[in-house]
Amino acid sequence: SMAFAGFTSVIAKHGLAGISGELGLAVRTGFVVVFVLGFAAVAVPRAELANLTGHNFLWLGLSGLTTAASWVFYYKALKDGEVSTVALIDKGSFVVAVVLAWLLLGERITPRVAGGSLLILAGLLVVARR
């Protein structure tokens, strides 16, 4: 996942040459939809579809909306910024996820996770500072 995510940013930056971030995102998302639906058609047993509930649709739908918003801002930043800076700021989402998981899911913030979060924030400040 980490390797593909790294490639994704660099490849996307090349793909945005001469077009807007919005158009690039739309084209990329079209490819993602086709791939994911094809993968699901092969990998998900048909019987599992009966397990889908309104709860699943609600929370996965909200997740889809936040993903879309994240991608819109990411592609706008990627179009104009350096991949190293944009990708690192995006990975700062780890810290947001840790705090939200603690607040909403009751997950523990261990010293290891707190230390890692602080290192990510420190790295973010070092790379983003001009």
Side-chain angles (χ1 to χ4, degrees):
S1 174
M2 180 179 69
F4 282 118
F7 275 106
T8 297
S9 299
V10 173
I11 293 167
K13 182 74 173 183
H14 278 296
L16 292 173
I19 62 170
S20 68
E22 294 80 6
L23 178 57
L25 175 59
V27 170
R28 175 202 185 234
T29 302
F31 278 95
V32 170
V33 167
V34 169
F35 175 79
V36 170
L37 289 176
F39 177 75
V42 172
V44 177
R46 301 251 185 252
E48 190 174 342
L49 293 175
N51 295 336
L52 282 173
T53 66
H55 179 266
N56 299 126
F57 276 101
L58 171 67
W59 289 103
L60 293 173
L62 289 172
S63 175
L65 291 175
T66 58
T67 298
S70 171
W71 287 359
V72 166
F73 289 112
Y74 185 85
Y75 268 67
K76 285 180 109 27
L78 192 60
K79 176 67 181 170
D80 297 328
E82 294 180 354
V83 171
S84 60
T85 303
V86 174
L88 178 60
I89 291 170
D90 183 61
K91 298 312 173 223
S93 64
F94 171 81
V95 178
V96 175
V98 166
V99 172
L100 289 175
W102 173 65
L103 289 172
L104 302 175
L105 303 175
E107 292 186 8
R108 291 183 45 234
I109 299 178
T110 64
R112 178 180 55 87
V113 171
S117 296
L118 290 173
L119 288 170
I120 288 171
L121 287 174
L124 198 152
L125 292 173
V126 168
V127 172
R129 189 172 176 101
R130 297 203 179 259

